[in-house]
Amino acid sequence: MAVNCKINGKPVTVETGTTVLEAARSAGFEVPHFCYHPGLSRPANCRMCLVDASNSPKPIPSCYIGVAENAEYTTDSDHVKELRRAILEFILLNHPIDCPICDQAGECELQDNYFAYSLQESRLQTPKHHKPKAVALSEKVTFDGERCIVCTRCVRFCDEIAQTSELGVINRGERSEISVFPGKTLSNAYSMNVVDLCPVGALTATDFRFKCRVWFMETVESVCDGCARGCNVHLDHHKGEVLRYRPRENRQVNDWWICDAGRMSYKTVHTDRVLAPVAAADGRPVRVSWDEGLVAARALIKDAQERLAVVLSATLDNEALFAVRRLLRAALPSARVYTSGRPDGTNQDALLVRNDKNPNRAGVHVLFGALPAVDVLAADIRDRKVTHVLAFGGDIDPAALRGTATVFVATHANAAVQAAEVVLPMQTHAEHDGTFVNFAGHVQRFQGGIPPVGEALAAWEIAGRLGRLLGADLGLVSSGGVFKALAAEEPAFAGMTHVNLGAGGRALAVAPAAADAASPAPATP
């Protein structure tokens, strides 16, 4: 049922139950707030969102009260602006004003609102009330009580989303502060979301503290590759280094949240990387040029015929998978194809986390169907059906490859990669554009943010170069072009491009049969 009203004189029609704040947003009017968050309950305790209403003698909290039929609301009158100025003065009475050393400087809602509505000096004549500083709520989150404005977003998140209730408000009045309950720490699997929720610098990520000023960093829209959920993230980077992930809103995938494990997985981008092509010479690995590495790879696999195994990791993006599929059809038609991936976890929950720790198992299934896994490969190696291996992705137990001549296209060095005859460095998803398909069949684009680490190339480009050496031009020149060719050949991706996937992605035209329909669905607040 629709409700009609006016906001700042503009006629607005919204669904019944829509709050005045949300209605104002839909009409293009931003209402400042601190305690409000669309994914949490609404206590209306900060009063920053007060607006004038024709059906009320007093200002109303717009985040809490629903739109009334034929009511008129004013969000930008002089009276409302004076209310905001007074509220900010009250909030700032005991605030330490330590912006120059605060990690939140540059992305602080209190700063933004002060410059928009206040810009006055403090009239406080007495000493400020001091609270605990740099308190470790856990090994991941540090709390500064003096900066806290007691908006209770963090408390409500732990109660309503994580449902672990470690946090509460103790004391009253100006002595009120956020604290963990006795005998507890902030230790749930989503605890670091309170850092993003905090509108000031009270809750900071211990890992990121004093690492880099936010205005020095650049940001791209990316996707967490830690599990099959594919949570949307902001990838923040500076001088070629990924410094943090932050959750990016996508109501179809992860709402506003990300698990702590996924958030911290950014560190793997720069750990134990394969930096340059390597080929064995007299039984010892030797760094070589790209041309020499590709020639060595061709020499190893070109005559293997049906005894060649091509192993595709479920961590590869769709562009890489499609390029390898063209390589197989054009140059290696007799090769046996297998799939590998990270081992399953045991921590799946009803919110976001999946047991499948691979970001694109559904993509492998769409492009290749049901492939035999590494245990089948190991048996075929023992039976001498396979003597040579071309592996895209380094997640294979080295024991399974014993007795084979192996070429690894890999991002990270591990025991299996280090034992290979030829190793070619591959870029991670932080270094190039591409797409993943999550467990529910949602296709999402990620953007490369940092320059290639070492001499790494995108997997689709490596497949193309190897194809040319094997006498087959795969016709692939860019990541976007590869995806366009994929969409032209695969009905499940029909009509998709990197551009029209946008920030939120699109569902496959044909749902992946590999999706686990019995798995818990994401919780929606």
Side-chain angles (χ1 to χ4, degrees):
M1 183 176 175
V3 178
N4 299 296
C5 68
K6 285 186 177 181
I7 299 178
N8 298 335
K10 180 179 180 179
V12 177
T13 301
V14 294
E15 292 295 317
T16 301
T18 303
T19 64
V20 175
L21 186 151
E22 292 163 343
R25 274 187 168 180
S26 69
F29 302 108
E30 190 62 36
V31 178
H33 56 271
F34 291 119
C35 68
Y36 167 80
H37 187 280
L40 303 173
S41 60
R42 298 154 194 192
N45 61 12
C46 77
R47 318 308 278 184
M48 191 67 190
C49 70
L50 292 176
V51 300
D52 288 330
S54 63
N55 60 345
S56 172
K58 298 180 180 180
I60 63 169
S62 61
C63 73
Y64 185 80
I65 294 178
V67 170
E69 181 69 25
N70 295 325
E72 296 186 19
Y73 304 98
T74 306
T75 70
D76 59 359
S77 67
D78 290 341
H79 176 237
V80 169
K81 291 177 180 178
E82 176 59 24
L83 288 173
R84 292 169 186 166
R85 186 204 61 76
I87 290 164
L88 283 167
E89 182 178 23
F90 176 73
I91 289 174
L92 288 165
L93 277 179
N94 288 301
H95 196 280
I97 318 297
D98 56 351
C99 303
I101 62 168
C102 179
D103 261 2
Q104 196 75 1
E107 51 186 12
C108 173
E109 294 177 40
L110 186 56
Q111 278 183 344
D112 295 342
N113 284 322
Y114 172 78
F115 280 104
Y117 299 106
S118 183
L119 287 179
Q120 64 174 337
E121 294 183 7
S122 174
R123 295 183 291 170
L124 183 68
Q125 299 295 317
T126 58
K128 294 190 176 190
H129 177 72
H130 296 291
K131 295 181 180 180
K133 297 183 71 68
V135 176
L137 299 186
S138 70
E139 62 181 13
K140 301 174 185 176
V141 178
T142 300
F143 175 63
D144 190 319
E146 290 190 344
R147 300 172 186 165
C148 180
I149 62 173
V150 200
C151 69
T152 69
R153 282 185 182 181
C154 55
V155 176
R156 284 174 283 143
F157 175 83
C158 290
D159 288 345
E160 300 163 11
I161 306 301
Q163 299 182 359
T164 49
S165 300
E166 298 100 331
L167 298 179
V169 180
I170 62 173
N171 303 325
R172 299 211 177 192
E174 68 176 7
R175 298 181 181 275
S176 294
E177 63 184 74
I178 302 298
S179 178
V180 291
F181 285 104
K184 287 191 173 185
T185 60
L186 183 60
S187 56
N188 66 72
Y190 298 88
S191 64
M192 296 182 74
N193 285 281
V194 301
V195 173
D196 311 301
L197 287 169
C198 184
V200 293
L203 292 166
T204 54
T206 305
D207 169 72
F208 184 71
R209 280 170 67 86
F210 312 120
K211 185 179 286 187
C212 183
R213 284 298 192 182
V214 298
W215 51 80
F216 291 137
M217 295 190 294
E218 297 179 69
T219 299
V220 294
E221 295 177 343
S222 189
V223 174
C224 175
D225 71 340
C227 81
R229 173 71 60 184
C231 291
N232 289 215
V233 298
H234 297 286
L235 185 154
D236 296 334
H237 60 96
H238 179 56
K239 292 185 176 180
E241 181 183 1
V242 181
L243 296 180
R244 64 177 180 178
Y245 287 162
R246 292 176 294 124
R248 179 165 56 89
E249 179 184 347
N250 188 332
R251 298 304 308 277
Q252 297 174 286
V253 179
N254 58 302
D255 286 333
W256 302 268
W257 326 120
I258 185 176
C259 74
D260 290 356
R263 184 191 297 265
M264 298 302 291
S265 68
Y266 79 89
K267 293 185 175 183
T268 63
V269 171
H270 300 285
T271 305
D272 299 325
R273 288 294 300 273
V274 177
L275 299 177
V278 172
D282 298 325
R284 299 179 61 184
V286 176
R287 180 170 179 167
V288 297
S289 69
W290 260 106
D291 288 343
E292 292 169 331
L294 289 167
V295 168
R298 180 193 62 179
L300 203 67
I301 66 175
K302 68 174 182 176
D303 296 325
Q305 303 296 333
E306 68 277 358
R307 291 196 176 187
L308 171 66
V310 175
V311 186
L312 303 173
S313 172
T315 63
L316 294 172
D317 53 78
N318 295 311
E319 290 74 8
L321 294 171
F322 180 72
V324 175
R325 191 174 78 173
R326 278 199 170 178
L327 175 67
L328 288 166
R329 292 176 177 177
L332 303 169
S334 301
R336 301 167 181 262
V337 186
Y338 305 81
T339 186
S340 65
R342 300 170 186 151
D344 284 351
T346 57
N347 60 336
Q348 182 164 307
D349 60 33
L351 186 55
L352 297 178
V353 177
R354 306 290 302 179
N355 279 342
D356 181 2
K357 302 307 178 186
N358 299 281
N360 203 30
R361 192 174 296 281
V364 175
H365 189 86
V366 171
L367 288 170
F368 288 90
L371 293 176
V374 174
D375 55 345
V376 178
L377 170 64
D380 288 345
I381 291 172
R382 287 194 299 269
D383 295 339
R384 303 303 294 168
K385 295 178 182 178
V386 170
T387 58
H388 295 69
V389 175
L390 171 59
F392 286 82
D395 38 29
I396 305 177
D397 184 347
L401 301 175
R402 191 172 292 120
T404 63
T406 305
V407 176
F408 257 112
V409 180
T411 56
H412 294 78
N414 55 29
V417 172
Q418 291 170 345
E421 281 72 18
V422 180
V423 180
L424 304 175
M426 179 172 66
Q427 295 174 3
T428 67
H429 75 298
E431 298 155 70
H432 68 278
D433 291 1
T435 57
F436 292 136
V437 183
N438 80 350
F439 78 99
H442 200 74
V443 185
Q444 302 183 100
R445 179 189 178 188
F446 56 84
Q447 296 178 328
I450 61 173
V453 174
E455 299 178 29
L457 297 176
W460 66 263
E461 186 174 355
I462 297 172
R465 290 192 180 193
L466 190 55
R468 285 193 290 274
L469 283 177
L470 292 169
D473 186 351
L474 306 186
L476 307 176
V477 295
S478 69
S479 178
V482 175
F483 189 70
K484 186 175 181 180
L486 161 62
E489 289 189 21
E490 280 297 328
F493 294 87
M496 296 183 191
T497 67
H498 278 183
V499 174
N500 67 26
L501 283 177
R506 294 170 59 178
L508 287 171
V510 180
D516 181 6
S519 297
T524 302

